[in-house]
Amino acid sequence: ALIGPGIGLGEEVAERVGRLLDQITCPVVVDADLLTLIAAHPEWKLPPQAVLTPHTAKFCRLIGRERESMNSVERIDLAR
């Protein structure tokens, strides 16, 4: 399943997605708006088979770091 592109960032969407993540059992690709929502809801648990696809700016938002504060090798290590 692909979740994220075009879902929006509203609170109703966040509530629904939070419930969905608790119940999903299939592999899921996390992209776009869902990455932004995850950054805002660190309490959410992703399924173990989830694959995140952030660009560099969203990756930095997810880990709470400034892009300029790390080099490309460090970003790769953090992604693991």
Side-chain angles (χ1 to χ4, degrees):
L2 171 64
I3 306 173
I7 64 171
L9 302 172
E11 192 55 39
E12 183 178 328
V13 170
E15 290 174 17
R16 288 181 182 190
V17 169
R19 287 193 306 267
L20 174 66
L21 291 175
D22 285 340
Q23 299 171 12
I24 198 161
T25 59
C26 66
V28 62
V29 176
V30 178
D31 192 34
D33 288 346
L34 184 52
L35 291 168
T36 301
L37 288 171
I38 288 170
H41 294 275
E43 72 279 6
W44 288 353
K45 302 287 188 225
L46 293 174
Q49 68 275 27
V51 176
L52 282 66
T53 61
H55 55 68
T56 302
K58 282 193 180 178
F59 175 75
C60 291
R61 190 178 313 137
L62 284 167
I63 65 168
R65 298 269 304 266
E66 294 293 323
R67 181 178 184 168
E68 296 77 23
S69 73
M70 66 186 121
N71 61 42
S72 59
V73 173
E74 187 178 12
R75 283 195 301 265
I76 291 168
D77 289 340
L78 289 167
R80 293 183 183 153

